[in-house]
Amino acid sequence: MGALEGKVAVITGAGRGIGREHALLFAREGAAVVVNDLDGSNSGEGTDIGPAQEVVNEILAAGGRAVANTENIATWDGAKKLVDQAISEFGGLDVVINNAGILRDTFIAGMDESQWDSVVAVHLKGHAAVLHHAAAYWKDQSKAGNQPNAAVVNTASASGVTVPNAGQGNYGAAKAGIAALTLVAADELARYGVRVNAIAPIARTRLTLATPGMGVMMAAAAEDAAAEGGFDAFSPANISPLVAYLASDKCDITGKVFAVQGGAISELAGWHDAKTIETEGPWLIDDLAARLP
Ligand SMILES: NC(=O)c1ccc[n+]([C@@H]2O[C@H](COP(=O)([O-])OP(=O)(O)OC[C@H]3O[C@@H](n4cnc5c(N)ncnc54)[C@H](O)[C@@H]3O)[C@@H](O)[C@H]2O)c1
């Protein structure tokens, strides 16, 4: 029996990259999957049924259960239609994997409003929108006496939680917000039987292949692994077992963020008091200058 047998899962941005690998593994592990992807460009333009339906076709051909969804999860309405589709097609909702993402990298001095808005909308609002509608469903289930046994896995990034990445002010801020949202949601939704965690993945996908410096290095690593028959440490498939575990009944973890790349998984710790200075009365600026650095 698969680790996700009987679960109904929604996976956003699952038409390609890391989300596609999640969808394929979830289906192999017995989940019914709603494969969401609006198939935009790297920077979020355009829509097409293509990639979501292709992943669904692959799952169906292997004997699994899946349906495609092309809603824009960056809107409350699109997220609601996605959650509603899981419930109407498969009779409920057990797992949400928030994964959809875009990049519009530029330094803050040159960033226009649309570059900020679109990245924050897809990542931070997109996570919040799906989480909101799923949480409302789980809350209703709980109040009706059907206590859920549900899980959410969000997608943060090293850019935002561990490595300040110049040129990614919009993306890093959204990803840091996703890590914060994860902890708050874990706290709020525990009463309804819902666990909420996040990952910060690193893998070779369309996004990273287009990132200066990373693409060349990751493509070379793939060629080396193929030539030597070794472990492809940047394969996006390496990310999915952790996500499947976090979504499964084998896991009781909640409110955590894990970095994952290749064979390495690290639990990340958030903001904490690194140093405290105190005074008996109001601070003087000269005292701060003497003691704070
Ligand atoms: N690849 C990495 O190393 C890496 C590192 C850190 C974080 N991430 C995160 O992992 C997630 C997956 O990224 P990926 O690398 O697989 O990229 P990807 O471009 O291969 O896949 C992202 C998918 O999301 C879809 N999408 C974008 N906006 C959408 C929207 N509004 N509604 C529905 N679908 C939408 C795209 O069409 C695309 O298919 C993203 O959240 C990304 O920020 C990736």
Side-chain angles (χ1 to χ4, degrees), residues 170-192:
N170 47 3
Y171 180 76
K175 289 304 199 185
I178 287 168
L181 177 64
T182 299
L183 306 196
V184 173
D187 195 23
E188 288 185 7
L189 300 184
R191 74 201 70 182
Y192 307 130

Side-chain angles (χ1 to χ4, degrees), residues 26-163:
F26 272 54
R28 284 200 300 278
E29 291 294 335
V33 185
V34 183
V35 178
N36 160 266
D37 205 299
L38 55 51
D39 188 27
S41 65
N42 249 0
S43 53
E45 286 123 0
T47 63
D48 183 355
I49 182 85
Q53 190 58 50
E54 281 169 23
V55 173
V56 168
N57 293 347
E58 213 172 324
I59 290 172
L60 297 179
R65 292 192 299 155
V67 289
N69 172 287
T70 54
E71 294 296 335
N72 178 2
I73 51 75
T75 68
W76 237 239
D77 182 53
K80 179 166 177 19
K81 287 180 179 146
L82 174 61
V83 167
D84 287 350
Q85 187 176 354
I87 297 162
S88 63
E89 292 272 355
F90 297 121
L93 179 65
D94 307 294
V95 177
V96 166
I97 309 299
N98 281 314
N99 165 82
I102 61 169
L103 284 179
R104 291 202 180 173
D105 290 0
T106 184
F107 278 46
I108 193 74
M111 187 178 292
D112 65 36
E113 192 171 353
S114 73
Q115 288 169 317
W116 175 269
D117 284 348
S118 57
V119 169
V120 172
V122 172
H123 289 279
L124 186 53
K125 185 178 174 190
H127 272 61
V130 182
L131 188 57
H132 160 70
H133 291 294
Y137 168 74
W138 287 322
K139 179 182 174 186
D140 288 349
Q141 290 289 305
S142 178
K143 298 279 181 208
N146 308 316
Q147 183 69 346
N149 181 14
V152 176
V153 183
N154 294 328
T155 307
S157 170
S159 175
V161 292
T162 51
V163 184

